[in-house]
Every structure is written in C-alpha cells, then in structure tokens.
Amino acid sequence: MRLSKYFIPTLKEIPSDALIPSHQLMLRAGMIRSLGAGVYSFLPLGYRIIKKVMDVIRDEMDAIGGQEFHLPALNPLELWEETGRAKDFGDTMFHLKNRPLVLAPTHEEVICQIAKNHIKSYRALPQIWYQIQMKFRNEPRPRSGVIRGRQFFMKDSYTLDATWEGLDKGYELHAEAYKKIFTRAGLKYFIVGASSGAMGGSASQEFMIESESGEDTCAVCDHCGYAANLEVATSNIPKAQREKESKEIQEIHTPNVGTIDELKEFLKVDERFLAKSLVYMQDKTPVLILMMGNDQLNETKLRAVLGADVRPCRQDELLMLTGADAGSIGPIGLQGFKIIVDKRLKGGNNLISGANKNDYHLGDIDLQRDVKVDGYYDLRIINAHEPCSKCNSPLRIVNAIELGHIFKLGTKYADAMHAYYLDEDGKEKPIIMGSYGIGVERMMACFIEQNHDKHGIIWNKALTPFHVHLVMVNSNNEKVVSVAENLYTKLQQSLIDVLFDDRDDVSPGFKFKDADLLGIPLQIIVGEKNVIHGNVEMKDRRTSKREIVELGKVVSFVEKYLES
RNA sequence: CGGGAUGUAGCGCAGCCCGGCUAGCGCGCUUGCCUUGGGCGCAAGAGGUCCCGGGUUCAAAUCCCGGCAUCCCGACCA
C-alpha cells in the first residue's frame, strides 16, 4: 500500500477528549474517529487491525471445533420477553421505536431458538457455535475510547450439551482457546474467578489485563497466582477470637456516635469487638447483616446469598422497623428480622453493637448465646495487603480491563424457551448451555495500552496492520526512488504486506515520526547515505536497533524476521 | 441517574469575569519558492451558525433563562 494514496489521517496533537494512551494513539494514528458518545468509525488502518484480531480469534475457535454463524443484530422483542431478559436488561438494551424489535446485546436467545428448532436428539450434541458480530448496548456512560462503547464487536460462542460433563469439557476447551488467543495476540493477561451475576449458571471466569484505566477491580496474589474479581475475592484475614468468658450484656450510653470510627474512638476499643449492622429488604422481609468493625459489605456476595432483588432499607423503614436510626441498629430485640452474619464474626462474644435505641449501644453480646443467627456467610469486601487465602502472601488490589468472560449457563435458557432434546432413553431433557465472549476492540485497545512508548504504538507480528513499513527518505533523489520502488515491488511479490511511504511532499522527519506513531514493528529505511553503498537500513520499532542490510538480501531478511 | 467541567476554523487553544472596532493564535490545509536522516524555512491565501433556542441591551462569543452535546467522578455494567 502506498501511503501517498492511503487514507491515514495522523494527528500531531492529542485530541482533548482522549485521556488514556490507547484512545489517544488510535486517534492520532488515524485508526478511528468518534461519531458520538461510545460510537466509533474504524478507518482503513484501524479496521485492518480489527481484522487481524478477528483472524487470531477465528483460528483458535475453529481449532476447537467451533462453527461460525452470523446472527442478526435485530431481534424480535418477543424473543427477549420469553426468557425475561427484556426486563433484566432494561434500559441497557436498545429498543426500536417503529417496530417491536431490539438491537441484540448478546445472543443466547437466538442461539437457543435455533437449537430448539433443530437439535432434537442427543446424537446432534455437543455443538460449539460462534460468531464475531456487532453488539449493541445502551451504556449509560461510554468511556475510555473503544473500551466501553455503545456498539462493539464481540466474539460470542455458545456450547450446547446433553450432559454436565459435556458442559465442563466445552468450558475447558474455551478456557484453553482463550489462553491461546490472548497469548498469540501478545497480551499480558490473568484469569480470575468471577461472579456469574444475572446470567445465572454455576461457574464463570474472566480474562483480565491489569490497567489503571480498568473498570473492574481484582485481588491478585503475586506469589501463588491467586486472582479473583473483588466481587467474589476472599482472604485469610483473622476471624473473631472467642474470649474465655462471656460477660453479661450491658447498655452503653453513646451520645452523638454514628459511625464505627466514632464508636471506636468513643469507647477506645479494638475494631474487632464492634459488630456493624446493615439492614436490607429481601422482598418484604427485613434482613439484618452483621459485619465486623468497619468491614464493607460486598453487595454481589450478598445477592448470591439472598437473591438478586435485595435492596438497602430506606431510612424511614429503618426507624419504623427497629425504632432507631442507622448507627444505633443491632441484633438484639428485633422482631420479624432475618439475621445473617459475616463469617469473620463467627463465634464472636463480648461484641458491641447498636441497641436499637438512638444514642445507645449494647456491650458484651455473645452471638451464640444472644442472637438467633440465620446463617454465616462470606459477605465482606477484602482490602489490599490482606493475606492470600491460598498462600498467605499479601494481596494486591488492582484495576483491570475485562477482555473475555466464560460462563457455564446450565439450562436457564433451554428451560425458559423449551429447548429440549431426546436422550438415549427417549426422555425429553433441556439442552445445557455455556456462553463465552471476547471483546474485539478491547483486545486492540489493551494491546496498545501494554505496547506503546512516547513515540507511538509498537505492534507485534500477530496484530500489525502491515508486515513492514518501507520509508523512502529522499524522494528527490533518483537513486533512492528507484531502489525504494524496486524494493516495494519485490517485497509484494514475496507476499509481504508493505506500507510504502512514497510521499514526495513530506520531509524525512515527518515520515520517521509517522512510522513510529503507526508502530509497524519493522521499518525499512531507504536513504541516500546507505543507498550509495548499495544498502538499506532496518529498524526494529520496539528496540530502535538498526541494522545495515545489502539491497539483495532485504527480502530474505524480512522473510526470516517474519518467521522468527 | 446524581455531582463537576467544557462547547469559538479540521485539531489544540486564547478572548468571556469587567458587553463595544474587521473574533484571534499555533498546528493542519491551498498556491509558489525552498529544503531532504527526526513533525524544515519563506511568502501569499482559503477556511467561522463563537453548540442550539429565547431574553436583557443602542450593542452579546461575553450577561440571564431553557435545551442539546461531549468529557470526567460516582451509581450502573449479561
């Protein structure tokens, strides 16, 4: 491709709306342009890279037996009502105004519908179906360039199985394929256990890259490799120590003490003797939740215990139900409450908690003696430096970007849509599904986040838009022009993708800057000072190492480089 | 959806408080000359709904009201 004819509008200055490196560089390198919040046009160079990413994904999906589909983005609203997900997605799904159609944010329903109509026997299972297609989500706040957009490419795949062992196998195949995809794409990633959320199902893992601009938070152990989304992460933080003697409950006057920190200061006691109370509503049942000290409640963990519909109790409800305001609530003397306790408090005695009377607390509560506990669960958000639950090394808390997510769905969709097959005994059974996604633009953006310097992007061989960047330095020098033109032809004849900077109206410095910005990993620099000796210069974009190569050996040099 | 900021040429910005002459600067763009190993120089040009609508005023980019858009923080995020 001749740069003089190719549409690559590079920018010298950084557009002010772009804050993170990948977004800035994608704009500056002429790969994308914004059309509206969270909506991007891919220009020719950017789309070339998208296609490279898709190639890698497609290759590995085909390798595990995936069959590529192309499913419609327009879906009947009715289909989404069948599974109840029209309501679950709510405003996140785009609805058309002039027909009862929606723009699909994912494709479980469509897949399940096809399976329902055509998979009638266990003999037709298992199946791995996938597609790489545009997804639409009405994100309330798109951000970080293409990392969170309102429309984006996703590779989504689905396993259909007759047995739970089959699901496990399909899930494992995907986990392995994903590792290969991200490794080939040159991404430094880690895998975390994740919440399966409203997708339902039993197991779920996310493929993440660590990034300051990430929207997810993960706990990571650098020692043993444990990593988990904070939604589900656990640690070995010390539990309550039961004291030898349980003292008698006593009322303590605590005027103007609201928060745990104030209580700690007022009573001069260790945080681990304090039991913080929170009240949530599970349908019409109030639930009192006890946490140790100032431990924060993890709502994802809470929902896993109580169901998705729990909500924090309102202030007016709180006063009516307990007779006190937040800050003076406690587990003693409540009527009609369910009481659940964070595991960390298990066995605790001589604890201090609210008295359900404003400005009073109760001291020396023994959970075993005084409280009817409906269950102990892990409910807390872990903090940095807490000991790893596997190896006790201090955990790090990092921001991360989710590149891929794999789910064991089970029969949720088959049940809702009556997608049944006949098993060996002629019995009707629901098809067991798994669902697996990769964000295509995110792979591209994350690669740039991890591979750039102050001059621009540094592609690797798998994702680079062209194999080599041929820079003709002195376009007024006949010898240089003829050598560069000749090389361009020869390289193309050897099936090497060349971006040829043949512009004659641009100074050498400009060409070098553009080459570094675009980041093609190997630059061939044809300039006067080397050409007169029958040589050209090879520059490695990543290391900036330069090597002088004889003209006749350029093609074989490049071929060797590409194979290495 | 709550909080904050911004909106002036393709891009980056100044001007706005404190209303007033033809709305300005850098980059980019066009033309000519020049230059050719790190965003080159000189000269001449083109390019504007000052986000939109309303109001105040002799006079509005500037003040007031309403709206829209974009970005950031938070909430949300299968």
Side-chain angles (χ1 to χ4, degrees):
Chain A
M1 184 64 68
R2 287 175 185 274
L3 202 41
S4 61
K5 308 274 185 226
Y6 199 39
F7 181 64
I8 308 183
T10 58
L11 300 172
K12 197 188 289 187
E13 282 171 295
I14 301 169
S16 57
D17 281 349
L19 296 186
I20 65 169
S22 59
H23 190 196
Q24 295 173 346
L25 287 167
M26 285 166 85
L27 287 163
R28 287 191 53 215
M31 289 159 53
I32 58 168
R33 285 296 182 265
S34 163
L35 189 60
V39 181
Y40 289 88
S41 303
F42 278 86
L43 312 185
L45 185 72
Y47 194 52
R48 260 184 110 93
I49 295 148
I50 286 284
K51 285 187 284 190
K52 289 285 182 110
V53 173
M54 289 177 175
D55 286 346
V56 172
I57 295 173
R58 199 169 265 130
D59 209 39
E60 296 298 339
M61 289 309 300
D62 290 345
I64 61 168
Q67 301 167 69
E68 188 169 3
F69 281 58
H70 183 72
L71 306 170
L74 275 176
N75 285 193
L77 174 60
E78 209 184 352
L79 183 65
W80 287 79
E81 283 169 343
E82 236 178 282
T83 55
R85 287 214 299 173
K87 189 168 154 275
D88 293 348
F89 269 97
D91 197 45
T92 305
M93 185 157 65
F94 285 107
H95 290 247
L96 266 63
K97 270 189 175 165
N98 54 353
R99 290 237 180 228
L101 292 172
V102 298
L103 291 174
T106 172
H107 278 83
E108 282 79 12
E109 277 79 358
V110 178
I111 288 284
C112 198
Q113 214 244 22
I114 295 171
K116 171 190 173 174
N117 290 335
H118 303 287
I119 304 282
K120 297 293 185 188
S121 156
Y122 73 96
R123 290 173 203 271
L125 295 170
Q127 293 284 337
I128 299 177
W129 293 353
Y130 82 98
Q131 64 167 342
I132 302 177
Q133 191 238 22
M134 194 63 86
K135 298 286 188 267
F136 296 86
R137 293 183 193 182
N138 185 22
E139 295 291 347
R141 183 147 98 80
R143 68 193 102 166
S144 306
V146 301
I147 287 173
R148 177 169 292 269
R150 291 205 169 116
Q151 75 168 71
F152 53 95
F153 285 113
M154 182 190 262
K155 186 290 298 177
D156 46 321
S157 50
Y158 306 87
T159 53
L160 307 174
D161 280 283
T163 64
W164 293 97
E165 296 72 43
L167 173 63
D168 292 345
K169 200 177 159 202
Y171 183 88
E172 272 315 306
L173 281 174
H174 274 84
E176 290 309 311
Y178 277 30
K179 289 178 198 168
K180 285 184 186 162
I181 288 166
F182 298 130
T183 302
R184 274 177 67 177
L187 291 157
K188 298 179 214 52
Y189 67 95
F190 61 97
I191 302 173
V192 300
S195 158
S196 32
M199 288 288 283
S202 52
S204 149
Q205 284 170 297
E206 291 168 326
F207 291 72
M208 315 288 274
I209 74 148
E210 192 175 329
S211 163
E212 271 176 40
S213 33
E215 303 179 298
D216 286 273
T217 314
C218 296
V220 178
C221 176
D222 291 325
H223 184 252
C224 73
Y226 168 80
N229 196 305
L230 216 55
E231 291 173 342
V232 298
T234 58
S235 78
N236 254 351
I237 193 156
K239 293 194 168 38
Q241 299 283 328
R242 190 168 178 84
E243 300 199 314
K244 273 182 202 145
E245 191 188 340
S246 278
K247 295 179 227 163
E248 285 304 306
I249 292 190
Q250 47 160 326
E251 194 172 84
I252 311 169
H253 187 51
T254 52
N256 298 320
V257 170
T259 66
I260 287 288
D261 284 338
E262 286 164 7
L263 188 64
K264 196 169 92 178
E265 185 56 30
F266 184 83
L267 296 174
K268 309 272 189 241
V269 293
D270 196 281
E271 203 173 293
R272 66 196 171 90
F273 289 107
L274 304 177
K276 178 168 74 172
S277 303
L278 299 159
V279 181
Y280 275 69
M281 297 298 292
Q282 180 185 26
D283 196 19
K284 293 200 173 71
T285 310
V287 183
L288 183 88
I289 301 151
L290 286 179
M291 308 291 299
M292 183 192 284
N294 225 350
D295 282 1
Q296 297 294 303
L297 173 70
N298 183 326
E299 288 203 7
T300 308
K301 289 179 179 176
L302 181 71
R303 271 192 273 272
V305 173
L306 297 179
D309 290 333
V310 291
R311 60 167 179 88
C313 191
R314 292 193 312 268
Q315 253 187 336
D316 56 315
E317 291 174 316
L318 206 57
L319 191 59
M320 202 180 71
L321 290 163
T322 68
D325 291 314
S328 298
I329 313 278
I332 307 293
L334 292 172
Q335 298 297 318
F337 269 75
K338 186 173 183 175
I339 299 177
I340 62 173
V341 181
D342 181 65
K343 270 185 178 169
R344 203 181 163 199
L345 276 175
K346 191 161 189 175
N349 62 349
N350 301 328
L351 300 171
I352 301 162
S353 194
N356 297 318
K357 185 160 94 175
N358 279 354
D359 293 335
Y360 285 91
H361 279 78
L362 293 181
D364 300 321
I365 298 168
D366 181 342
L367 285 179
Q368 292 173 0
R369 179 189 65 191
D370 305 321
V371 182
K372 188 187 158 291
V373 176
D374 291 287
Y376 289 92
Y377 305 96
D378 171 30
L379 296 170
R380 62 188 293 277
I381 296 177
I382 71 162
N383 296 306
H385 312 304
E386 286 179 13
C388 171
S389 53
K390 289 201 173 144
C391 75
N392 279 321
S393 304
L395 292 168
R396 272 195 314 135
I397 306 285
V398 302
N399 291 334
I401 299 170
E402 178 187 342
L403 288 173
H405 203 157
I406 57 179
F407 284 100
K408 290 183 186 176
L409 290 179
T411 59
K412 173 178 167 171
Y413 295 88
D415 289 336
M417 296 178 60
H418 308 291
Y420 301 129
Y421 68 94
L422 289 180
D423 72 6
E424 288 173 79
D425 304 323
K427 277 194 207 141
E428 227 176 29
K429 292 207 173 141
I431 294 171
I432 300 168
M433 282 177 69
S435 160
Y436 317 85
I438 293 179
V440 175
E441 288 95 331
R442 280 188 183 184
M443 280 182 67
M444 173 167 157
C446 286
F447 181 89
I448 297 172
E449 289 290 325
Q450 293 183 340
N451 297 278
H452 68 271
D453 60 18
K454 63 180 177 180
H455 302 293
I457 304 168
I458 308 171
W459 292 111
N460 66 358
K461 278 178 262 185
L463 302 188
T464 184
F466 293 90
H467 294 135
V468 292
H469 193 137
L470 179 62
V471 181
M472 178 169 77
V473 178
N474 322 96
S475 53
N476 59 341
N477 180 305
E478 272 179 41
K479 180 76 179 162
V480 169
V481 172
S482 74
V483 166
E485 287 285 348
N486 196 357
L487 265 182
Y488 179 51
T489 309
K490 270 200 197 155
L491 287 163
Q492 283 185 310
Q493 282 165 353
S494 306
L495 303 179
I496 292 162
D497 272 338
V498 192
L499 183 63
F500 178 27
D501 194 343
D502 62 333
R503 292 175 294 181
D504 58 10
D505 55 348
V506 174
S507 69
F510 205 98
K511 292 185 178 184
F512 292 131
K513 291 286 186 193
D514 266 355
D516 287 348
L517 176 61
L518 300 187
I520 294 163
L522 183 63
Q523 298 173 9
I524 305 174
I525 299 166
V526 184
E528 205 172 339
K529 68 182 186 187
N530 288 311
V531 160
I532 48 173
H533 299 114
N535 296 327
V536 297
E537 182 180 317
M538 301 297 201
K539 179 184 156 190
D540 182 291
R541 171 65 181 88
R542 187 175 292 274
T543 62
S544 286
K545 276 190 188 148
R546 292 152 195 274
E547 194 171 332
I548 306 295
V549 175
E550 273 175 51
L551 266 179
K553 294 184 178 163
V554 170
V555 173
S556 61
F557 182 98
V558 173
E559 281 173 339
K560 214 172 113 194
Y561 168 84
L562 290 175
E563 281 161 21
S564 67

